[in-house]
Amino acid sequence: MYELSRPDECSVGRAMDILGERWTLLILRECFYGVRRFSVMQRNLGIARNILSARLQLLVRTGILEKRRYQEEPERFEYKLTEKGLALYPAVVAIMRWGDEHLCQGDRPVVLRHTCGGAGDPVMVCWSCREELDPHDVTPEPADAPPLALAPIPA
């Protein structure tokens, strides 16, 4: 018989302490889509200001986002993914792909377009060039948008 680890000793439990609330993953999705400003996040998500502020503070406090001033008068900030935050990319994509496969009625709503022009697949490599996907090399776009460039499918 196995003894289950306690939540404070479990990486999944510790991660869920930070990431387990619905809005947190949606905020991270926005960050991976290139959104950095509070007002744009609030508009895109339809989230209350106080909830967005609290979630952003948690993500900054835990080192997932960095808060940077981009304007002094009036003072305004933007939020940028840190290396720790960028490391969450595979997890966010895996959740998105799971939702595409198990919850979508029809085609997936977003394609992750790699810089080579190919589409990323659930195993986190570029469909066209087979390179591992990196969030800096991927552009989210509507699934029905024409590809940037078509590359042959590797053998």
Side-chain angles (χ1 to χ4, degrees):
M1 180 169 198
Y2 297 112
E3 185 175 326
L4 297 175
S5 57
R6 302 171 85 118
D8 59 334
E9 298 170 358
C10 172
S11 293
V12 173
R14 286 191 302 265
M16 294 310 292
D17 285 344
I18 299 167
L19 305 172
E21 198 277 330
R22 174 186 191 266
W23 288 115
T24 303
L25 286 175
L26 293 174
I27 291 166
L28 289 172
R29 179 201 64 195
E30 290 298 302
C31 291
F32 282 115
Y33 284 4
V35 176
R36 293 184 175 185
R37 297 193 176 167
F38 185 98
S39 60
V40 179
M41 284 183 201
Q42 184 185 24
R43 182 193 70 219
N44 290 356
L45 295 171
I47 185 175
R49 291 180 61 82
N50 63 322
I51 294 172
L52 178 56
S53 179
R55 296 305 176 270
L56 287 170
Q57 288 174 27
L58 172 67
L59 292 169
V60 169
R61 189 172 59 250
T62 57
I64 293 169
L65 294 179
E66 177 183 1
K67 184 177 178 179
R68 294 182 177 177
R69 182 179 22 232
Y70 70 87
Q71 181 178 312
E72 295 207 22
E73 292 291 328
E75 189 172 55
R76 300 208 189 269
F77 295 89
E78 65 180 9
Y79 298 87
K80 186 174 186 226
L81 289 158
T82 63
E83 288 301 314
K84 186 176 179 179
L86 290 168
L88 286 165
Y89 187 69
V92 173
V93 170
I95 291 168
M96 181 176 76
R97 288 293 169 241
W98 181 86
D100 289 347
E101 185 175 332
H102 299 285
L103 304 175
C104 281
Q105 303 293 324
D107 293 334
R108 58 186 176 185
V110 174
V111 172
L112 300 177
R113 189 69 59 196
H114 190 255
T115 55
C116 77
D121 67 21
V123 295
M124 299 295 291
V125 297
C126 176
W127 175 79
S128 181
C129 72
R130 307 309 288 176
E131 286 185 24
E132 187 175 339
L133 293 180
D134 179 283
H136 297 294
D137 299 332
V138 175
T139 303
E141 61 183 35
D144 58 351
L148 298 173
L150 291 177
I153 300 171

